[in-house]
Every structure is written in C-alpha cells, then in structure tokens.
C-alpha cells in the first residue's frame, strides 16, 4: 500500500496451501461439512441411498468452494491516500482507499478492513461487490484524534469469500502509512515586534553598514552584473574583473523555548498545561515564520529541530512551509524530558545574540527562575508565558499565586515581559496582554546593552 497510489501494493489470491483454504471455512461451511458427514454415516447405517446422496452433496459443497477459492488466480492492488497527511489535533482527516483488479478475472465479494489505532476511532470495514477485470473501487473513511502524535494506518486486510459464504481467505498488504497529528495552532494578531539595530523586528531587511570603500568585499564578475559596480582596485589586484558585493540583508531572529521538564507540568490529556504549552509554542513558531523571522525551536534540554541552521529556519521564503512542517512534526511527538533544569538551554543561548526570545515555561523554583532571568541577557527582547501546575489543577478560574506569582515578578525585574497563564485562557488574549504590558511598562534595561520589553 502506498500513499497516493504511485506504487500500489499487490495481494495475489491463491498463495498458500489447500490446508489454509480449508482453515478459512466459515461457520456455515463447517456446518454443511458436519451435516454431510453425519448424513452419510446415517445413510450407511440405515442403508438409505437417497440420504447418502444428500450427505455427499452437503459435504462436497464447502470443499468445492474452498478448492475453487484456493485456485483463484486474480490479483488485487491497493493504495491509500491521506487528506491531509498532517492534521491539527481535534481535526478530521480523510483516508481514501482504492482497490484495483489487475488480473483478467473478475473478483468475488471482497471485504476490506484497515487497521487504525484505537485513539483514531473504530476500525473501518467495507464490503465491495464483484470487481470486473481491470476495474477499481474507491472507498474512504474519517479519522480524528484529540491527542497529537504519529499514528500508523494499516496494513490493509482483504478478505475474499465465495458466493455461498462457505469459505473466507484473508490477505494482508505489507505496507502502511503514517498520520501525523500536530498541535493546534492559533492565529496570533500582529503586534509591535520592532527592536533595536540587532534586527529582530519588522525592519528585518536592514543592510550591513559599510565603513568606506576599503571595507567592501568584492566578488568575481558574473554575466549580467552592472558595470558600474566594478571594483577597479580589486580587479587590478586579482587580475580579473571584480565587482562590489551587494549589501546583504540581516534577517530578524527569534528563538522559541519550550520547557518540557516532567516535574514542571502535572496532569495529562488534551487540556493539560503541557499540551497548552506545546500548542502555544506551535502558534508562536508559525506566527514568527509568517512575519519573516529566522525561527529556531529550542527545548530545556538544549535540543532543536534536526536540519535547522545556526540561525534557525528562514521565514518569508519558499522553504518556510517546509520549515513549519518540520517543526510541527517535532512538536507532534515531543514529550516530557527527564531534565532537572534549564541550564542546557541557557548554555545554547549563551552562544550568541538570539534576537527575540519567546519562552513557554512550567513550574519554576527559585534556582530555575534565576537561570531563566539570565537568559534575558542573551536576547534583544524576551517574552515568557508561565504556567503553574497548581492553578491548572484547579481547572478554569484557577489563578497563579504564591511561588508562581513570585517567579513572574522575578522575570519581569530581569527585563522579561512575563505573563501568567491561567487555565483555559486562549493564547491570543495573552499575546495581546503581553503587548499591552510592554506598552505600559516601556523598555526595561537588563544587564548589558540590550533593551527590554516585548520588542
């Protein structure tokens, strides 16, 4: 079975021994065989030839059906197509199945059954009428999951039966497809993200300053280059035509940090605090990619998405959709870590200027709050959404209080735009709240030369 059907898998009926065909007898077939044998024994004992003929007919009919079914030599090809193959949690995807009779003989009654995980719903079953030679049949079913993850679909099982229902043979295709259920993504409003000259705002196409002609880095002449850009001094030095390099844009950078520590979140399920943090991370990543930022996903363990560059995935480009897909695939299967703190993530951030930093944090003790506060020094701007497990355990209406409220205050004093996340509140509202908090407090300088606030 192959998604899209370019290389359909095939099941050839008739493979296996006659013993397999006899083992596939249905209850009806076994009943006929038992009744025939009993009638033949009674006919022998009573000397009734007519009863013997009836018994032989009853016993031979299921055997003939099993033999004919065993010797049937037609081939069936199947393909599966997912629409879409990547679906947000709580949304439906449709699975299209296509069966092709690639033999020269028509098929009998076909029964299809696709294997799906329990979380996606009941196992789908279909009954297909006789398929003519070279014909095809298409069926579809829907799957839905409230839990993100990667779920295998298949292999598809095909059951063949004779017209009398005496025997059934089961064939399985060897391949399967995978449905990826990604976190829910909320469309976030555009807020002021412009920052200083380090380039983490809407003015992302700033050019590198050139301090005079001596600082120009020339390159070899290419067909179509403007001759007015010829750098004659370098041309004389290298003995070939050289031109001034075009000003390079400096792309805005954004790092989205997701806290996955197991002891920082309590509870499980689609309405848990951890799932809210994962969904918020996905929403922030997609939003920043759409704004044209170079985005990087980082976890508390210091890991990032495989394949991303040192500056993250570039937004506002042809590869932005693929980048979003890779990060969504990573978030689809991300789970709690065994890490004890945020130090590994801080060590990664210490490698250079991270531009805008957006963090989704769980429970913070005083030590981890101090580590998070130091992260502010490595970014041009920092926003934190802090979740408290105690408040989330209380359900909707629970408020961040006690130690959790103190940690938010510590982050704000360090220059973060920190927002407490009450249970059941949409990220859109908190996103606007962070913008209002930045606007009301204004830039709060942190250690070093960076400026504070949302942007």
């Amino acid at each position: 079975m192959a998604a899209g059907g370019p290389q359909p898998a095939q099941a050839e009926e008739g493979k296996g021994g006659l013993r397999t065909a006899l083992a596939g007898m249905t209850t009806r077939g076994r009943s006929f065989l038992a009744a025939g044998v009993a009638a033949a024994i009674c006919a022998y004992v009573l000397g009734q030839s007519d009863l013997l003929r009836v018994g032989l007919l009853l016993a031979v009919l299921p055997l003939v059906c099993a033999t004919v079914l065993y010797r049937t030599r037609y081939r069936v090809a199947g393909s599966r197509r997912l629409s879409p193959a990547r679906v947000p949690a709580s949304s439906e995807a449709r699975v299209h199945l296509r069966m092709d009779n690639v033999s020269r003989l028509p098929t009998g009654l076909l029964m299809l059954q696709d294997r799906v995980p329990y979380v996606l719903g009941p196992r789908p079953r279909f009954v297909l009428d006789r398929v003519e030679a070279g014909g095809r049949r298409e069926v579809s079913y829907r799957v839905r999951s409230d839990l993100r993850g990667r779920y295998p679909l298949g292999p598809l099982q095909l059951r063949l039966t004779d017209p009398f229902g005496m025997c059934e043979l089961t064939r399985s295709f060897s391949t399967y497809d995978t449905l990826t259920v990604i976190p829910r993504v909320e469309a976030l409003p555009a807020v002021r993200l412009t920052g200083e000259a380090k380039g983490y705002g809407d003015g992302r196409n700033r050019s590198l300053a050139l301090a005079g002609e001596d600082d120009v880095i020339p390159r070899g002449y290419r067909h179509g280059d403007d001759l007015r850009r010829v750098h004659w001094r370098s041309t004389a030095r290298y003995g070939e035509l050289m031109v001034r390099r075009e000003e390079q844009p400096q792309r805005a950078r954004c790092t989205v940090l997701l806290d996955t520590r197991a002891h920082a979140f309590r509870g499980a399920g689609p309405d848990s605090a951890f799932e809210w943090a994962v969904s918020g991370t996905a929403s922030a990543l997609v939003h920043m990619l759409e704004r044209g930022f170079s985005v990087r996903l980082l976890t508390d363990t210091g890991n990032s998405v495989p394949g991303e560059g040192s500056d993250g995935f570039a937004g506002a480009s042809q590869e932005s959709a693929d980048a979003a897909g890779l990060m969504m695939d990573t978030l689809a299967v991300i789970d709690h870590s065994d890490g004890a703190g945020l130090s590994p993530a801080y060590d990664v951030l210490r490698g250079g200027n991270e531009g805008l930093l957006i963090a989704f944090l769980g429970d913070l003790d005083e030590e981890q709050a101090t580590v998070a506060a130091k992260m502010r020094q490595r970014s041009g701007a920092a926003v934190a959404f802090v979740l408290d497990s105690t408040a989330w355990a209380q359900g909707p209406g629970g408020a961040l209080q006690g130690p959790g409220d103190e940690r938010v205050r510590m982050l704000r004093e360090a220059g973060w735009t920190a927002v407490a996340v009450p249970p059941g509140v949409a990220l859109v509202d908190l996103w606007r709240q962070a913008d209002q908090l930045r606007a009301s407090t204004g830039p709060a300088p942190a250690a070093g030369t960076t400026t504070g606030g949302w942007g």
Side-chain angles (χ1 to χ4, degrees):
M1 201 96 60
Q7 295 180 344
Q10 296 181 353
E12 183 177 345
E13 305 301 335
K15 290 186 177 181
L18 184 58
R19 182 181 301 177
T20 303
L22 295 177
M25 278 191 180
T26 62
T27 302
R28 179 185 300 178
R30 296 176 186 275
S31 300
F32 268 66
L33 182 59
V37 172
I41 294 175
C42 292
Y44 176 78
V45 173
L46 300 175
Q48 297 290 331
S49 59
D50 292 338
L51 183 59
L52 179 60
R53 286 192 289 268
V54 173
L56 291 177
L57 176 62
L58 293 177
V60 168
L61 180 59
L63 296 177
V64 171
C65 291
T67 303
V68 171
L69 195 63
Y70 159 70
R71 296 184 63 85
T72 301
R73 296 289 178 176
Y74 59 81
R75 299 166 63 198
V76 177
S79 62
R80 181 191 292 107
R81 178 172 57 87
L82 305 181
S83 178
R86 184 187 291 118
V87 62
S90 301
S91 298
E92 290 186 345
R94 183 168 290 275
V95 183
H96 301 269
L97 300 178
R98 172 178 163 179
M99 304 302 298
D100 293 270
N101 183 9
V102 296
S103 66
R104 297 180 179 179
L105 298 175
T107 71
L109 190 66
L110 298 178
M111 289 178 285
L112 301 179
Q113 177 177 278
D114 206 7
R115 292 184 178 180
V116 300
Y118 176 77
V119 70
L120 296 182
R123 181 171 295 181
R125 294 180 175 90
F126 304 95
V127 177
L128 302 181
D129 294 333
R130 177 178 178 273
V131 182
E132 64 279 5
R136 74 176 59 165
R137 297 291 185 270
E138 295 184 2
V139 294
S140 64
Y141 64 93
R142 294 178 295 180
V143 291
R144 178 181 180 273
S145 174
D146 294 329
L147 300 175
R148 56 187 176 81
R150 293 173 62 88
Y151 302 102
L153 300 178
L156 181 67
Q157 289 183 332
L158 178 66
R159 288 195 298 171
L160 175 68
T161 183
D162 64 279
F164 299 100
M166 299 290 181
C167 183
E168 288 183 355
L169 293 181
T170 301
R171 296 290 182 264
S172 295
F173 293 90
S174 59
T175 57
Y176 62 91
D177 296 304
T178 302
L179 175 68
T180 303
V181 180
I182 62 176
R184 291 187 293 267
V185 175
E186 298 183 47
L188 301 179
V191 298
R192 179 179 177 270
L193 297 175
T194 52
E196 66 262 357
K198 292 179 181 178
Y200 46 86
D202 292 334
R204 55 185 173 273
N205 292 325
R206 299 181 180 89
S207 300
L208 297 174
L210 300 178
E213 192 173 277
D214 291 338
D215 293 332
V216 174
I217 303 177
R219 62 168 174 82
Y221 176 83
R222 299 172 185 169
H223 179 72
D225 285 338
D226 191 348
L227 293 178
R228 291 175 296 182
R229 294 177 45 230
V230 173
H231 194 259
W232 298 109
R233 181 180 302 176
S234 299
T235 299
R237 178 183 303 173
Y238 295 105
E240 61 177 319
L241 201 58
M242 307 290 290
V243 297
R244 291 188 296 272
R245 190 185 300 271
E246 294 178 348
E247 295 178 344
Q248 301 297 316
Q250 185 176 2
R251 185 173 295 277
R253 298 178 61 184
C254 174
T255 299
V256 181
L257 172 64
L258 174 61
D259 184 5
T260 63
R261 294 172 299 143
H263 64 269
F265 296 93
R266 301 176 186 174
D271 296 327
S272 63
F274 182 69
E275 293 301 322
W276 191 98
V278 174
S279 177
T281 301
S283 302
L285 288 170
V286 172
H287 178 73
M288 302 310 293
L289 277 174
E290 293 175 348
R291 296 292 299 272
F293 282 67
S294 290
V295 180
R296 178 173 63 168
L297 170 62
L298 185 65
T299 66
D300 58 290
T301 60
N303 296 328
S304 56
V305 179
E308 71 178 13
S310 58
D311 293 336
F313 291 106
S317 65
Q318 296 180 353
E319 295 81 13
S320 60
D322 296 335
L326 286 174
M327 288 187 286
M328 292 301 104
D329 289 344
T330 301
L331 291 176
V333 296
I334 200 168
D335 202 355
H336 292 292
S337 69
D338 297 330
L342 302 173
S343 297
Y346 172 71
D347 293 338
V348 174
L349 295 175
R350 195 165 49 182
N353 175 44
E354 299 301 325
L356 177 62
L357 175 61
I358 303 176
F360 292 85
L361 305 174
D363 292 338
L364 298 173
D365 54 23
E366 184 175 359
E367 179 182 358
Q368 300 309 315
T370 302
V371 175
K374 292 191 297 183
M375 294 181 183
R376 172 64 185 86
Q377 304 173 10
R378 301 298 172 181
S379 64
V383 184
F385 298 93
V386 183
L387 295 90
D388 183 82
S389 296
T390 303
W392 277 80
Q394 299 173 2
L400 195 68
Q401 54 186 344
D405 186 61
E406 179 64 27
R407 306 308 176 225
V408 171
R409 186 179 301 108
M410 289 180 58
L411 293 179
R412 290 178 179 175
E413 292 176 353
W416 285 79
T417 300
V419 178
V421 181
V425 178
L427 177 61
V428 175
D429 300 330
L430 299 177
W431 192 264
R432 293 193 180 98
Q433 180 182 344
D435 182 50
Q436 295 172 0
L437 181 63
R438 177 206 58 80
S440 61
T441 58
T449 58
T450 57
T451 59
W454 180 228

